[in-house]
Amino acid sequence: MGDKTMTAEEVVSRLRSGMTLGIGGWGSRRKPMALVRALLRSQVTDLTVVSYGGPDVGMLAAAGRIRKLVAAFVTLDSIPLEPHYRAARERGAFELTEIDEAMFMWGLRAAAHRLPFLPVRAGLGSDVMRVNPGLRTVTSPYDDQETFVAMPALRLDAALVHVNRADRLGNGQYLGPDPYFDDLFCEAADEAYLSCERVVDTAELTKEAAPQSLLVKRHTVTGVVEAPNGAHFTSCAPDYGRDEAFQKRYATTPWPEFAARYLAGDEQAYRSAAGEEA
Amino acid sequence: MKDDMPEVTRAEYCVIACAEAWRGGGEILASPMGVIPSVGARLARHTFAPDLLLTDGEALLVGADGTVEGWLPYRQHLALVTGGRRHVMMGASQIDRFGNQNISCIGDWAKPRRQLLGVRGAPVNTLNNPTSYWIPRHSRRVFVERVDMVCGVGYDRAAEVGARHHRIPRVVSDLGVFDFATPDHAMRLASVHPGVSVDEVREATGFDLVIPDEVARTREPTAGELRLIREVLDPGAARAREVAV
């Protein structure tokens, strides 16, 4: 069993332009922002991003790295509409596969189970069918003969997720109230990269937390990055809440100015720049 | 109203109208979105619908006093939606005469004039569990002939695809309460809030609303309900920021 720890730069060096990239978390909650920032420092672009979208999508959209987005929404939670995502959509900056939240989850599940699709009731009758002309339906072979959307598997080339704790082998633990869908992202991906607030010994993981907090299993993980404050400015309960003041600055500062001030240097520079103004 | 009670505000009539959506719902999850539906759901839970389940807005099920009684992370929430034991009250940027709802974008979807939230869970909600709507500012911009992007499915679309669990119990706005109790499931004015005229509602609606000969008035809150709203559920009067009158 190998030590999978690596730096965020090493993670990004394994990603390629044109990849389909799943990003864990939800809205502005426990997003792998340190990995996204590392991605922004790289030249990787032309991405198909699959995300319950938050500022991860907003930043990658603002930086012109997205060729296609697969999402049910993009939000900052406390600020309902993500301004950089909005601006990118309104200038037609990338392709969008807009699907329902449940369709999204079943797409990940289908990929995790190596199924070509899973039947979902969601989507029928809505314009999700109009804007995704490739979507097909499937009819139950049983007496009910109900028709469903055949949600295709959302297979990912790579996934990025952030959790509270992990060991060096890739066992990941969430300590907040919601696992979101991070385990599914890892299972749906050929390679998954897990950042965490703190790398601990395996035995430490269950010393104070119940085993059901062990969300991500090591066989689905390629690399582990220790990234304290690595979800900033999104929430990472119970380690920290959302940095609302900083998020507001992100939402109201013109992108070139924001990028120059916070994203020009490395993660350490980001932390000092963000911290100085706190 | 009773003499000892200050005048009932429009926001309070809206709270009552939203609360009524969950009457008789039984042991199901009430999912209110927006301040007034949230106060309404909790009012229902405190009074005539004590079996309702409520969340803290994130992953926990909480009792009337906030005691945690269960765990409902998003993945289980989605199972509860498809199981049908839930009545959600969503917002709507646009809604049409058959209850098709839009929260995704305004204009051409391929390059929208205004990007909004995205479809979110509106498709799964409307195909699986009762879905009502709350619209704090009733206008022709919201009540439109045709929505730009169908997120929540209306009665005409639901019939086309044979949706067997589709139901839109009510639409509540700052002017009145609406339902689809007509032969073709076109939207009908069910009641106007006190102080609102039928003409005012007609004027603010961008399609031909079904208006019965006798239009009811939204019911008065009881003294006990008013006390709960003002002293227990929303003492900071957040409701007045959603509906000002």
Side-chain angles (χ1 to χ4, degrees):
Chain A
M1 291 187 293
D3 182 333
K4 294 175 185 164
T5 54
M6 57 177 73
T7 65
E9 271 59 36
E10 285 173 306
V11 169
V12 169
S13 74
R14 291 158 175 262
L15 303 178
R16 294 284 170 265
S17 292
M19 271 187 166
T20 296
L21 185 64
I23 304 180
W26 173 286
S28 191
R29 305 175 197 196
R30 219 177 71 233
K31 283 284 174 180
M33 296 304 284
L35 297 179
V36 170
R37 287 188 283 269
L39 194 55
L40 288 168
R41 289 192 293 271
S42 79
Q43 300 300 312
V44 175
T45 189
D46 198 34
L47 294 166
T48 292
V49 173
V50 179
S51 175
Y52 283 109
D56 52 328
V57 169
M59 284 187 172
L60 291 168
R65 307 298 181 91
I66 303 180
R67 183 181 66 77
K68 180 171 154 184
L69 176 70
V70 180
F73 58 80
V74 181
T75 180
L76 296 174
D77 293 300
S78 52
I79 301 171
L81 304 179
E82 218 293 354
H84 300 302
Y85 166 70
R86 281 192 87 164
R89 270 282 283 157
E90 289 168 12
R91 63 173 186 267
F94 50 77
E95 267 182 71
L96 177 65
T97 295
E98 183 166 2
I99 52 173
D100 169 89
E101 288 172 26
M103 294 172 75
F104 190 109
M105 178 182 76
W106 286 108
L108 289 179
R109 272 203 199 286
H113 292 249
R114 294 196 297 182
L115 291 168
F117 70 89
L118 277 168
V120 294
R121 201 174 277 121
L124 291 174
S126 79
D127 276 344
V128 163
M129 305 307 285
R130 172 173 65 89
V131 303
N132 295 290
L135 278 177
R136 296 286 175 264
T137 58
V138 61
T139 302
S140 165
Y142 299 106
D143 289 346
D144 60 278
Q145 296 197 344
E146 188 170 348
T147 296
F148 300 92
V149 173
M151 178 61 205
L154 290 172
R155 192 71 211 171
L156 311 170
D157 294 316
L160 307 178
V161 305
H162 183 81
V163 293
N164 302 91
R165 306 283 178 270
D167 65 11
R168 299 175 162 274
L169 308 174
N171 293 305
Q173 179 175 52
Y174 79 107
L175 297 171
D178 201 316
Y180 310 121
F181 299 92
D182 291 351
D183 49 341
L184 280 180
F185 277 97
C186 294
E187 291 165 16
D190 293 340
E191 295 175 4
Y193 299 95
L194 176 70
S195 62
C196 63
E197 290 299 310
R198 199 144 52 80
V199 171
V200 298
D201 289 337
T202 306
E204 289 292 314
L205 291 169
T206 47
K207 215 167 180 179
E208 284 167 17
Q212 56 266 40
S213 61
L214 295 172
L215 179 66
V216 176
K217 287 132 192 61
R218 63 182 165 81
H219 73 282
T220 64
V221 172
T222 309
V224 177
V225 178
E226 185 169 59
N229 228 17
H232 182 266
F233 47 86
T234 69
S235 64
C236 189
D239 290 317
Y240 46 88
R242 185 178 303 127
D243 186 342
E244 296 287 1
F246 191 88
Q247 172 162 288
K248 193 167 179 198
R249 199 174 311 143
Y250 160 77
T252 53
T253 308
W255 173 253
E257 196 183 312
F258 182 89
R261 196 185 309 172
Y262 299 106
L263 305 172
D266 61 9
E267 183 69 7
Q268 192 53 50
Y270 170 82
R271 279 155 67 178
S272 343
E276 275 165 17
E277 297 164 39
Chain B
M1 257 336 289
K2 305 283 186 300
D3 297 338
D4 58 342
M5 272 289 172
E7 203 183 336
V8 180
T9 66
R10 182 71 59 76
E12 286 159 350
Y13 284 116
C14 292
V15 168
I16 293 297
C18 288
E20 286 289 336
W22 287 285
R23 186 184 287 275
E27 202 158 18
I28 61 163
L29 178 71
S31 288
M33 296 176 191
V35 172
I36 283 176
S38 296
V39 179
R42 286 187 293 139
L43 180 69
R45 169 74 180 77
H46 270 86
T47 55
F48 53 77
D51 293 335
L52 286 176
L53 296 142
L54 289 169
T55 74
D56 66 344
E58 298 210 16
L60 301 176
L61 288 166
V62 292
D65 62 354
T67 304
V68 175
E69 62 167 338
W71 185 51
L72 194 69
Y74 283 124
R75 59 182 67 197
Q76 290 193 2
H77 202 137
L78 289 172
L80 196 150
V81 169
T82 38
R85 296 193 60 79
R86 174 179 184 252
H87 182 165
V88 57
M89 185 174 275
M90 300 186 79
S93 304
Q94 294 178 324
I95 190 163
D96 73 14
R97 71 171 66 221
F98 293 111
N100 294 292
Q101 167 253 29
N102 176 20
I103 47 172
S104 171
C105 64
I106 300 297
D108 177 16
W109 176 86
K111 192 170 181 251
R113 196 160 72 247
R114 272 179 90 67
Q115 174 64 41
L116 304 173
L117 282 171
V119 295
R120 293 220 66 154
V124 71
N125 289 342
T126 46
L127 268 274
N128 288 283
N129 60 213
T131 303
S132 291
Y133 295 103
W134 159 241
I135 294 154
R137 272 179 299 280
H138 193 128
S139 77
R140 285 172 173 265
R141 287 177 55 168
V142 181
F143 288 76
V144 294
E145 189 66 50
R146 200 180 297 275
V147 305
D148 293 344
M149 168 87 179
V150 175
C151 304
V153 176
Y155 277 97
D156 53 343
R157 300 278 202 118
E160 278 171 29
V161 296
R164 53 188 80 179
H165 306 296
H166 175 270
R167 192 158 68 88
I168 308 176
R170 63 170 53 196
V171 176
V172 180
S173 80
D174 58 334
L175 299 184
V177 179
F178 308 83
D179 62 23
F180 299 87
T182 52
D184 64 347
H185 292 297
M187 196 187 292
R188 180 189 81 126
L189 176 58
S191 74
V192 287
H193 302 324
V196 178
S197 72
V198 171
D199 280 344
E200 204 178 322
V201 177
R202 197 186 274 119
E203 191 50 43
T205 305
F207 54 80
D208 201 10
L209 195 61
V210 178
I211 298 184
D213 297 338
E214 296 274 318
V215 177
R217 275 163 52 115
T218 304
R219 78 163 172 87
E220 297 293 327
T222 66
E225 286 172 333
L226 266 189
R227 199 172 306 113
L228 269 171
I229 295 169
R230 293 174 180 178
E231 292 168 20
V232 179
L233 301 174
D234 186 27
R239 62 190 180 281
R241 289 196 292 275
E242 220 167 57
V243 170
V245 189

